[in-house]
């Protein structure tokens, strides 16, 4: 398998190189040259274990790469990486259980170490980076640089903490994340980790990081890379749970092999839903992929009229991990729809004018595979309450956005195929909003966590239980114009913590 830049097919890399670089030098994202050799062995699916499914996906998408080298073949190589990533890391034996709620299924992807679905990818990414580093003979130290609005940072820290030859620096907005999210990050004590708050909002932190990638002069022996979902090594692991949920439905007798299943995905950077599209390309019988947004509905508008326009107001919502105006991974869908030259053109338009418009045939092609909808703040809150009252099922705000879009979509289309709604965070990760939705009182975020447990009886994930007592290990804070010099100092410091 080779990976090509979405903006120029002449830029071609091995999977290892693509994973180590993160982003192509022309600003494009790496995509498989073709899905032709990537057909998933559907006839075996029902008998496969979760880890076998993940290994199969990785071995197909990264086939022929030395990072999978193993005396028993590439599949065994992939299985070894998957085992190292996942064994003992998830709260349940089943890392993504399906819960039946009404007529639909909720796939709970949040039973990992930081209680958001990003763990599924970010536990495996470090193993892929390490293996890629070894197989390419890369001797330099890799420094992962990430700006986070909350969930990415903690999941990336959890994945990379303690991994040899790799360091990680995470920036978060000083007043822009929840107390639980902050404590999850600043209590990570890995010697290769650095967590730093920035005076500013998420966009400031994100721009600061982009600026560092563009202008920092690195010392000999150090390379930068990214843990964001622009990295193909972050996207590939997510493809597996689409197959896994299909297997579960087969086993439950809910579907027969070949039946179409719809997926409703709470979307921000378009990584999660794109992984579902990869699964479809690899042979999973997917009906519609429905892109669910909150009040920042740039994607809903795009799927409606083919115009992507980021020149609009930005809303801070109760589903903050989906508050985004530029969904990076949409570029990969454009590439699959209209090729590298056109994709490069649209991305240039987006940069210059903040806007681009698809041709009608391009939009039609996309609409045959995707639907989209959005949910307001009030609807999100009402959905949490209604679903809890009607089904006794507790969901977080991001999942509620998807659930609400599901109900509206089903009413509108009359679609009766089996549907899986992706649940991306534990209700305990956003206890405040969930308590508000249930109309309950509390005194601060840590108290909300306890009271939510007292009220619903739902188990607190072990990583959040007693989080307020976790020791703060990282206390550094910088202003936004100090980020560059801060990273410069860090990459020139060999030992970060004793
Ligand atoms: C990151 C995140 C999302 C959005 O996922 P994308 O892959 O960026 O579309 C949704 N929900 C939660 C809880 C998240 O952390």
């Amino acid at each position: 398998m080779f990976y090509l830049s979405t903006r120029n097919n002449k830029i071609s890399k091995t999977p290892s190189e693509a994973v180590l670089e993160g982003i192509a030098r022309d600003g494009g994202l790496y995509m498989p040259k073709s899905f032709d050799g990537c057909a998933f062995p559907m006839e075996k699916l029902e008998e496969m274990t979760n880890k076998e499914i993940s290994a199969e996906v990785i071995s197909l998408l990264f086939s022929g790469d030395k990072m999978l080298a193993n005396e028993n073949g590439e599949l065994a190589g992939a299985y070894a990486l998957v085992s190292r990533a996942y064994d003992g890391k998830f709260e349940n034996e089943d890392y993504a259980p399906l819960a039946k709620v009404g007529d639909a299924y909720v796939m709970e992807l949040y039973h990992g170490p930081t209680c958001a679905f990003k763990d599924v990818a970010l536990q495996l990414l470090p193993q892929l980076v390490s293996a890629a580093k070894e197989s390419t003979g890369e001797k330099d130290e890799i420094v992962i640089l990430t700006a986070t609005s909350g969930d990415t940072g903690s999941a990336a820290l959890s994945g990379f903490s303690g991994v040899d030859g790799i360091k990680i620096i995470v920036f978060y907005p000083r007043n822009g994340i929840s107390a639980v999210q902050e404590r999850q990050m600043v209590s990570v004590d890995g010697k290769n980790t650095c967590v730093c708050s920035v005076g500013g909002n998420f966009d400031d932190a994100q721009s600061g990081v982009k600026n560092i990638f563009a202008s920092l002069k690195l010392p000999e022996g150090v390379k930068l890379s990214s843990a964001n979902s622009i990295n193909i090594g972050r996207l590939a692991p997510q493809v597996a749970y689409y197959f896994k949920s299909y297997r579960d439905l087969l086993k439950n007798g809910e579907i027969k092999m070949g039946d179409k299943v719809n997926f409703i995905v709470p979307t921000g950077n378009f990584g999660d839903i794109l992984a579902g599209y990869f699964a479809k390309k690899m042979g999973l019988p997917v009906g519609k992929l429905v892109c669910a947004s909150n009040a920042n509905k740039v994607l809903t508008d795009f799927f409606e009229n083919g115009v992507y326009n980021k020149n609009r107001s930005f809303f801070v919502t109760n589903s903050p991990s989906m508050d985004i105006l530029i969904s990076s991974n949409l570029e990969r869908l454009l590439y699959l729809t209209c090729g590298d030259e056109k994709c490069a053109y649209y991305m240039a338009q987006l940069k210059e004018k903040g806007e681009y418009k698809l041709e009608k045939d391009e939009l039609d092609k996309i609409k045959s595979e995707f639907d989209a909808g959005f949910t307001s703040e009030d609807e999100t809150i009402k959905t949490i309450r209604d679903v809890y009252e009607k089904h006794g099922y507790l969901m977080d705000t991001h999942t509620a956005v998807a659930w609400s879009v599901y109900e509206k979509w089903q009413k509108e289309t009359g679609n009766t195929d089996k549907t899986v709604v992706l649940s991306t965070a534990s209700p305990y990760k956003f206890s405040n909003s969930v308590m508000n939705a249930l109309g309950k009182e509390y005194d601060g975020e840590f108290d909300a966590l306890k009271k939510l447990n007292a009220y619903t009886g739902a188990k607190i994930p072990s990583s959040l239980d007693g989080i307020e007592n976790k020791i703060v290990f990282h206390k550094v804070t910088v202003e936004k114009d100090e980020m560059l010099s801060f990273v410069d100092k860090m990459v020139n410091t060999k030992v970060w913590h004793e």
Side-chain angles (χ1 to χ4, degrees):
M1 175 65 85
F2 282 92
Y3 280 78
L4 310 181
S5 164
T6 48
R7 301 185 191 179
N8 181 355
N9 279 349
K10 292 202 185 78
I11 300 182
S12 168
K13 300 280 169 169
T14 65
S16 283
E17 291 166 343
V19 165
L20 287 178
E21 284 177 29
I23 189 163
R25 62 171 182 271
D26 64 347
L29 309 186
Y30 286 115
M31 278 294 278
K33 185 169 182 190
S34 154
F35 284 95
D36 285 348
C38 291
F40 191 94
M42 288 300 289
E43 69 286 354
K44 292 196 218 149
L45 178 63
E46 198 168 344
E47 301 311 320
M48 290 169 87
T49 65
N50 291 342
K51 284 200 289 180
E52 283 168 350
I53 294 172
S54 293
E56 187 71 54
V57 166
I58 294 299
S59 73
L60 289 169
L61 286 173
F62 295 163
S63 69
D65 194 278
K66 281 203 217 108
M67 79 165 104
L68 304 181
N70 184 289
E71 57 196 21
N72 297 316
E74 289 185 354
L75 193 55
Y79 192 86
L81 294 176
V82 166
S83 301
R84 226 172 287 151
Y86 293 152
D87 284 355
K89 301 286 176 50
F90 287 77
E91 190 117 349
N92 295 16
E93 203 182 324
D94 181 358
Y95 77 101
L98 283 188
K100 184 157 190 176
V101 182
D103 290 334
Y105 293 82
V106 176
M107 175 160 46
E108 297 176 353
L109 289 163
Y110 57 75
H111 296 288
T114 71
C115 306
F117 88 104
K118 291 182 171 72
D119 285 325
V120 177
L122 282 163
Q123 288 298 314
L124 185 47
L125 178 66
Q127 300 304 328
L128 297 173
V129 175
S130 282
K133 206 173 162 220
E134 202 165 306
S135 71
T136 56
E138 175 65 73
K139 293 279 184 300
D140 286 1
E141 181 174 79
I142 307 272
V143 177
I144 304 278
L145 203 56
T146 294
T148 184
S149 57
D151 290 340
T152 304
S154 52
L157 285 162
S158 165
F160 281 102
S161 178
V163 176
D164 272 350
I166 306 175
K167 286 175 169 169
I168 175 166
I169 303 176
V170 174
F171 288 106
Y172 67 92
R174 196 180 293 154
N175 298 313
I177 67 172
S178 77
V180 165
Q181 286 175 320
E182 180 172 38
R183 190 64 66 92
Q184 276 184 312
M185 291 198 281
V186 297
S187 61
V188 172
D189 62 0
K191 289 185 169 50
N192 62 334
T193 63
C194 166
V195 183
C196 178
S197 65
V198 179
N201 59 25
F202 171 63
D203 281 331
D204 296 325
Q206 171 117 308
S207 308
V209 163
K210 282 189 183 152
N211 175 40
I212 294 165
F213 271 106
S215 52
L216 181 64
K217 275 213 165 31
L218 289 165
E220 229 16 57
V222 178
K223 286 205 169 69
L224 293 183
S225 190
S226 154
N228 289 102
S229 57
I230 51 174
N231 193 320
I232 193 70
R234 168 113 181 247
L235 202 59
Q238 296 179 236
V239 177
Y241 49 72
Y242 287 89
F243 285 99
K244 183 242 175 247
S245 64
Y246 196 90
R247 182 210 57 200
D248 289 350
L249 293 174
L250 283 172
K251 282 206 171 229
N252 297 343
E254 292 288 341
I255 55 169
K256 296 187 308 304
M257 181 54 86
D259 286 353
K260 287 197 163 142
V261 172
N262 305 307
F263 292 92
I264 319 285
V265 190
T267 297
N269 221 3
F270 209 74
D272 199 3
I273 192 167
L274 188 78
Y277 192 52
F278 272 42
K280 187 174 188 181
K281 289 265 175 205
M282 295 168 75
L284 189 71
V286 174
K288 281 279 173 158
L289 288 159
V290 183
C291 172
S293 300
N294 61 25
N296 296 296
K297 63 183 189 67
V298 60
L299 286 167
T300 316
D301 293 343
F302 170 75
F303 284 107
E304 172 108 19
N305 54 30
V307 178
Y308 194 99
N309 185 349
K310 75 169 181 78
N311 303 317
R312 59 176 71 209
S313 311
F314 175 82
F315 301 104
V316 175
T317 74
N318 53 21
S319 44
S321 302
M322 295 159 64
D323 291 345
I324 198 159
L325 290 182
I326 298 188
S327 293
S328 311
N329 278 293
L330 189 64
E331 177 167 351
R332 289 189 158 113
L333 178 62
L334 290 183
Y335 172 76
L336 289 171
T337 309
C338 45
D340 60 335
E341 280 179 26
K342 206 64 185 293
C343 183
Y345 169 75
Y346 288 141
M347 289 303 108
Q349 295 274 301
L350 182 64
K351 193 166 179 200
E352 278 161 36
K353 302 182 186 154
E355 181 181 21
Y356 60 86
K357 183 178 191 323
L358 298 192
E359 313 274 353
K360 183 172 180 308
D361 60 318
E362 294 164 350
L363 180 61
D364 287 347
K365 203 161 144 193
I366 288 178
K367 274 190 174 170
S368 68
E369 322 241 29
F370 291 84
D371 271 338
F374 76 101
T375 297
S376 70
E377 291 287 276
D378 291 349
E379 278 176 301
T380 306
I381 290 298
K382 186 170 179 307
T383 299
I384 294 174
R385 188 173 57 233
D386 287 355
V387 172
Y388 188 66
E389 280 173 6
K390 195 161 161 207
H391 304 289
Y393 186 79
L394 193 63
M395 51 178 56
D396 92 295
T397 46
H398 303 77
T399 310
V401 167
W403 185 270
S404 163
V405 166
Y406 160 63
E407 287 189 329
K408 291 185 280 192
W409 173 81
Q410 204 199 26
K411 214 181 235 166
E412 209 176 286
T413 60
N415 188 307
T416 55
D417 290 337
K418 286 280 178 291
T419 298
V420 174
V421 176
L422 276 66
S423 176
T424 48
S426 162
Y428 281 108
K429 198 155 186 185
F430 299 93
S431 311
N432 279 17
S433 299
V434 174
M435 286 292 279
N436 292 343
L438 299 175
K440 300 287 159 194
E441 311 245 307
Y442 56 91
D443 181 14
E445 215 179 309
F446 295 127
D447 185 50
L449 223 142
K450 290 192 191 110
K451 294 228 166 90
L452 183 59
N453 170 252
Y455 176 63
T456 64
K459 189 177 169 298
I460 301 181
S462 53
S463 64
L464 295 183
D465 206 0
I467 179 126
E468 71 276 22
N469 301 322
K470 286 209 174 134
I471 292 167
V472 175
F473 190 70
H474 302 273
K475 294 179 183 157
V476 196
T477 184
V478 297
E479 297 314 315
K480 55 190 177 190
D481 55 6
E482 296 166 349
M483 288 172 68
L484 182 69
S485 58
F486 177 74
V487 173
D488 186 42
K489 188 185 87 194
M490 292 309 284
V491 295
N492 282 292
T493 307
K494 269 234 134 19
V495 179
W496 284 358
H497 315 286
E498 285 308 325

